[in-house]
């Protein structure tokens, strides 16, 4: 009997009175009853407590000191109990670093996929940045109508940088000794040398590829292809992670480059929190209807800071800034003058409101100064990462095609805080989504994106496994009625029922077997149409040889 059931004898935990009970294994068990009848005492304080205690006892004494252990329940004996996992409605998360993506481990899988399959696009011109070789350069030029389709003569050139301890004439002499006698252009710091001049035809393919390889080698990984009839028109290529058109170098990425919980990928200014704390000038000037003379600058209307108000009046009259006009009617330049100032106090210039608070920061070791600063501080989106939490370089990597992206998000609605100088047309033409775009999408749309996504042939089976795991976990989130959440939603803002269902999907993704799951009212807060989905998830747990106990 003990092989296919949990035998409980003499349970006296809390208000239980000598309960004897057999619970079948690999079944879905529901514990019901009125309030105070002992449902939680049986499910959590007896069954789960004993299962968790016995599991912890299997570790060494050294390991057990780092694990939380529950007290032994008041019961005569319990037999046949498997390792237990409790999924309740408490939300212990208090840090803003925990999100839906980190709780479900989806972030871990997504960052692996981006590190392996995403493509890099230049922040200045929007072109794809990739490592070129001789064959890829030839293939790219073949697709170019002005080159491959016309069979024109081309110049294969490379650039040599003149070192500081040499002159351009000396470098040209060295090049001449090596056989490079044709110079396309030169300045004091750079010399563009012609590697070869030939027609771009199929018969010359071997010679073209050889010229590309040599130019890449001598030109430190950079080569330029010019049309002989129009030398100003150039096609630039690089063997490095470098945009040859904009001359911008990029570094390689690792999975942690896409994690805001890692120093490798977290924004350097906000440390991965997405927000920074600073002075909120809406609190400094709460009433824009007031004039400078009438006390628009709130912190300067006290006796201790009256000197600053007097300085403002004196310098404003010297500068010609009106002090009897409401703040909202001042020009942008006049407002900037009040806030930013002209120089430091030591220079006998108007120091501005900003320098006043900078001076206060230097006195923050005093309690009353810290209290004063707290009245005018607020959290705002990080100006460096625009709230994305990641380094701008990590957001330049994109996954998928333009059709994949437009199917789930409008082109201009995608996140573009990391490419402020890119034109609207160039941004709209960018394919795929950045990792922050995915974090901002509801789970329903994120799942649709990954269902459409196909990886090109060069990627190995590992990328396919990661993609399959992502699809499975997103499906679990939809099955438990959480398709409306976004992956960047902070865990501490979730309700107890949402946390419980997220933990349930995490348990499904672990592929455990022969485990006892104890759930506390998993259907609470659900719309009736979602109840069937949750029941199907629980039945899937049972089909995987788990035992589920609900109360």
């Amino acid at each position: 009997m003990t092989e296919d059931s949990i035998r409980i004898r003499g349970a006296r935990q809390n208000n239980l009175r000598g309960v004897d009970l057999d619970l079948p294994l690999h079944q879905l068990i529901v514990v019901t009853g009125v309030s105070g009848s002992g449902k939680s005492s049986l499910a959590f304080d007896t069954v789960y407590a004993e299962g968790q205690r016995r599991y912890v006892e299997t570790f060494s004494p050294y390991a057990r000191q780092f694990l939380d252990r529950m007290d032994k329940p008041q019961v005569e004996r319990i037999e046949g109990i498997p390792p237990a996992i409790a999924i309740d409605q408490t939300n212990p998360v208090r840090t803003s670093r925990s999100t839906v993506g980190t709780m479900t481990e989806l972030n871990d899988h997504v960052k692996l996929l981006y590190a392996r399959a995403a493509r890099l696009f230049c922040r200045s011109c929007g072109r794809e940045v990739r490592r070129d070789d001789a064959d890829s350069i030839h293939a790219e030029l073949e697709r170019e109508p002005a080159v491959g389709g016309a069979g024109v003569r081309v110049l294969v050139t490379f650039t040599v940088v003149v070192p500081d301890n040499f002159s351009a004439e000396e470098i040209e002499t060295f090049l001449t000794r090596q056989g490079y006698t044709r110079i396309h252009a030169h300045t004091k710091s750079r010399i563009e040398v012609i590697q070869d001049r030939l027609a771009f035809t199929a018969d010359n393919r071997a010679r073209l590829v050889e010229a590309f390889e040599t130019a890449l080698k001598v030109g430190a990984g950079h080569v330029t292809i010019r049309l002989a009839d129009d030398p100003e028109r150039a096609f630039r290529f690089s063997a490095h992670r470098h945009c040859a058109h904009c001359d911008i170098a990029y570094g390689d990425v690792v999975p942690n480059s896409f994690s805001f919980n890692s120093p490798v990928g977290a924004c350097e200014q906000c440390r991965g929190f997405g927000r920074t704390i600073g002075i909120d000038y809406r609190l400094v000037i709460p009433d824009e209807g007031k004039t400078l003379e009438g006390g628009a600058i709130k912190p300067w209307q006290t006796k201790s800071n009256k000197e600053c108000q007097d300085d403002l009046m004196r310098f404003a009259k010297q500068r010609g800034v009106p002090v009897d006009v409401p703040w909202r009617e001042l020009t942008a330049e006049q407002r900037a003058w009040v806030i930013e100032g002209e120089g430091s106090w030591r220079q006998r210039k108007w120091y501005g409101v900003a320098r006043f608070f900078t001076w206060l920061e230097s006195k923050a070791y005093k309690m009353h100064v810290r209290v004063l600063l707290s009245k005018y501080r607020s959290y705002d989106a990080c100006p460096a990462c625009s709230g994305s939490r990641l380094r701008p370089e990590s957001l330049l990597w994109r996954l998928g095609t333009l059709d994949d992206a437009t199917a789930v998000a409008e082109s201009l609605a995608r996140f573009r805080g990391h490419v402020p100088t890119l034109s609207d047309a160039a941004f709209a033409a960018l394919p795929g989504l950045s990792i922050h775009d995915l974090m901002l999408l509801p789970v329903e749309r994120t799942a649709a994106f990954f269902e459409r996504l196909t990886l090109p042939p060069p990627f190995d089976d590992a990328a396919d496994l990661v993609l399959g795991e992502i699809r499975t976990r997103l499906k679990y989130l939809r099955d438990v009625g959480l398709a409306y959440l976004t992956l960047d939603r902070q865990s501490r803002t979730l309700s107890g029922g949402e946390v419980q269902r997220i933990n349930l999907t995490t348990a499904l993704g672990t592929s455990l077997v022969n485990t006892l799951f104890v759930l506390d009212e998993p259907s609470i807060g659900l719309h009736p149409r979602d109840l069937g989905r949750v029941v199907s998830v629980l039945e899937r747990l049972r089909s995987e040889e788990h035992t589920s106990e609900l109360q």
Side-chain angles (χ1 to χ4, degrees):
M1 184 70 179
T2 58
E3 295 181 356
D4 56 2
S5 66
I6 303 172
R7 293 171 55 88
I8 304 172
R9 295 294 180 265
R12 299 183 303 277
Q13 187 70 25
N14 297 333
N15 53 350
L16 298 178
R17 296 293 182 266
V19 174
D20 296 337
L21 189 64
D22 291 346
L23 301 175
L25 292 173
H26 313 315
Q27 296 296 326
L28 182 63
I29 304 170
V30 181
V31 180
T32 63
V34 298
S35 179
S37 60
K39 302 186 298 297
S40 296
S41 297
L42 175 63
F44 285 93
D45 298 335
T46 301
V47 177
Y48 165 68
E50 182 64 13
Q52 192 258 7
R53 188 187 67 83
R54 290 189 184 183
Y55 176 68
V56 173
E57 289 294 330
T58 62
F59 292 95
S60 66
Y62 176 76
R64 289 201 297 268
Q65 66 180 327
F66 302 106
L67 301 174
D68 293 331
R69 284 183 291 177
M70 302 185 69
D71 295 333
K72 182 178 176 64
Q74 297 181 21
V75 61
E76 291 181 6
R77 71 177 186 275
I78 299 181
E79 301 172 353
I81 189 168
I85 296 176
I87 303 178
D88 56 18
Q89 296 181 18
T90 59
N91 186 359
V93 179
R94 293 294 178 265
T95 175
S96 59
R97 288 192 177 276
S98 177
T99 64
V100 172
T102 58
M103 285 184 69
T104 57
E105 299 177 357
L106 271 166
N107 277 23
D108 296 328
H109 293 85
V110 169
K111 70 182 184 182
L112 284 172
L113 187 62
Y114 265 80
R116 187 175 290 267
R119 295 178 293 163
L120 174 65
F121 292 85
C122 179
R123 65 172 180 265
S124 180
C125 64
R127 293 184 175 91
E128 183 178 356
V129 179
R130 60 176 181 268
R131 288 189 173 92
D132 294 305
D133 55 27
D135 291 325
S136 68
I137 293 172
H138 188 275
E140 181 71 20
L141 291 174
E142 271 189 325
R143 292 191 293 268
E144 184 64 38
V147 182
V152 298
R153 292 182 63 83
V154 296
L155 303 178
V156 181
T157 69
F158 60 88
T159 301
V160 176
V161 178
V162 178
D164 294 337
N165 55 340
F166 286 90
S167 65
E169 290 76 13
E170 290 176 314
I171 298 300
E172 289 185 20
T173 303
F174 295 151
L175 289 170
T176 302
R177 292 175 182 174
Q178 297 178 25
Y180 293 103
T181 58
R182 292 178 292 181
I183 305 298
H184 176 71
H186 65 82
T187 63
K188 291 183 178 180
S189 59
R190 291 174 177 268
I191 301 174
E192 187 172 352
V193 184
I194 298 177
Q195 172 67 38
D196 203 349
R197 178 200 292 261
L198 69 166
F200 195 95
T201 60
D203 296 338
N204 287 336
R205 188 184 189 284
R207 181 178 166 185
L208 284 165
V209 170
E210 182 182 1
F212 297 155
E213 288 179 347
T214 306
L216 286 171
K217 181 179 179 180
V218 182
H222 301 281
V223 62
T224 302
I225 314 300
R226 297 182 182 274
L227 302 182
D229 297 335
D230 185 11
E232 297 302 318
R233 186 169 184 184
F235 303 90
R236 295 179 173 84
F237 300 92
S238 175
H240 307 299
R241 193 79 73 183
H242 174 272
C243 179
H245 300 274
C246 305
D247 196 20
I248 300 176
Y250 298 93
D252 292 328
V253 292
V254 295
N256 278 342
S257 299
F258 302 99
S259 172
F260 53 79
N261 285 328
S262 168
V264 178
C267 170
E268 294 180 340
Q269 185 164 337
C270 66
R271 307 293 183 183
F273 286 98
R275 300 187 303 167
T276 55
I277 187 170
I279 301 301
D280 188 346
Y281 289 101
R282 294 169 297 183
L283 300 175
V284 176
I285 309 172
D287 187 356
E288 295 190 354
K290 288 186 177 181
T291 64
L292 296 178
E293 188 177 35
I297 313 299
K298 183 178 178 180
W300 291 350
Q301 307 313 308
T302 60
K303 287 184 178 181
S304 57
N305 295 321
K306 185 178 182 301
E307 182 182 355
C308 297
Q309 177 70 15
D310 295 340
D311 289 342
L312 173 61
M313 294 297 99
R314 177 161 52 87
F315 283 106
K317 290 177 181 178
Q318 293 177 6
R319 184 63 181 255
V321 176
V323 297
D324 56 351
V325 175
W327 175 262
R328 67 166 63 95
E329 297 180 12
L330 294 177
T331 65
E333 292 182 359
Q334 292 169 345
R335 291 188 185 188
W337 178 84
V338 174
I339 300 296
E340 303 297 335
E342 298 175 327
S344 67
W345 174 81
R346 297 181 182 278
Q347 297 173 324
R348 304 286 183 179
K349 294 182 179 180
W350 169 236
Y351 42 84
V353 180
R355 287 186 178 85
F356 166 76
F357 281 104
T358 302
W359 173 77
L360 281 182
E361 293 281 358
S362 67
K363 306 293 181 182
Y365 59 88
K366 299 179 181 179
M367 176 62 73
H368 71 279
V369 174
R370 293 200 297 272
V371 172
L372 176 63
L373 286 170
S374 66
K375 295 179 180 180
Y376 301 104
R377 279 176 170 163
S378 68
Y379 284 100
D380 296 302
C382 174
C385 66
S386 301
S388 66
R389 302 182 174 207
L390 295 169
R391 295 172 183 259
E393 297 80 9
S394 301
L395 300 173
L396 297 173
W397 294 79
R398 309 183 75 84
L399 191 65
T401 64
L402 183 59
D403 291 338
D404 295 335
T406 54
V408 296
E410 296 181 6
S411 297
L412 294 179
R414 293 178 289 174
F415 180 76
R416 61 178 303 177
H418 57 297
V419 284
T421 60
L422 199 62
S423 66
D424 289 346
F427 179 77
L430 286 175
L433 298 176
S434 68
I435 191 168
H436 190 56
D437 288 323
L438 285 177
M439 298 298 109
L440 295 177
L441 289 177
V443 166
E444 187 71 39
R445 292 190 182 184
T446 306
F449 174 79
F450 281 108
E451 289 297 330
R452 291 177 53 94
L453 183 65
T454 56
L455 299 179
F459 295 106
D460 53 18
D461 294 338
D464 290 332
L465 290 174
V466 173
L467 184 58
E469 188 66 26
I470 292 172
R471 289 170 176 166
T472 300
R473 290 175 183 261
L474 288 171
K475 182 179 183 299
Y476 289 158
L477 285 174
R478 287 186 296 172
D479 289 346
V480 296
L482 297 177
Y484 58 89
L485 292 179
T486 60
L487 295 183
D488 74 332
R489 171 81 174 268
Q490 292 187 11
S491 304
R492 62 183 182 181
T493 66
L494 298 172
S495 67
E498 289 171 335
V499 170
Q500 185 181 39
R501 279 176 277 157
I502 286 176
N503 290 335
L504 183 59
T505 63
T506 304
L508 282 170
T510 57
S511 301
L512 294 173
V513 294
N514 195 26
T515 306
L516 171 63
F517 289 93
V518 183
L519 293 84
D520 181 15
E521 299 181 6
S523 62
I524 191 169
L526 278 180
H527 191 279
R529 66 168 177 251
D530 294 324
L531 288 177
R533 295 179 179 179
V534 174
V535 171
S536 65
V537 170
L538 296 175
E539 289 176 344
R540 187 181 296 122
L541 279 175
R542 180 185 61 187
S543 66
E544 295 175 357
E545 298 188 356
H546 295 300
T547 304
S548 301
E549 183 176 355
L550 289 69
Q551 71 90 17

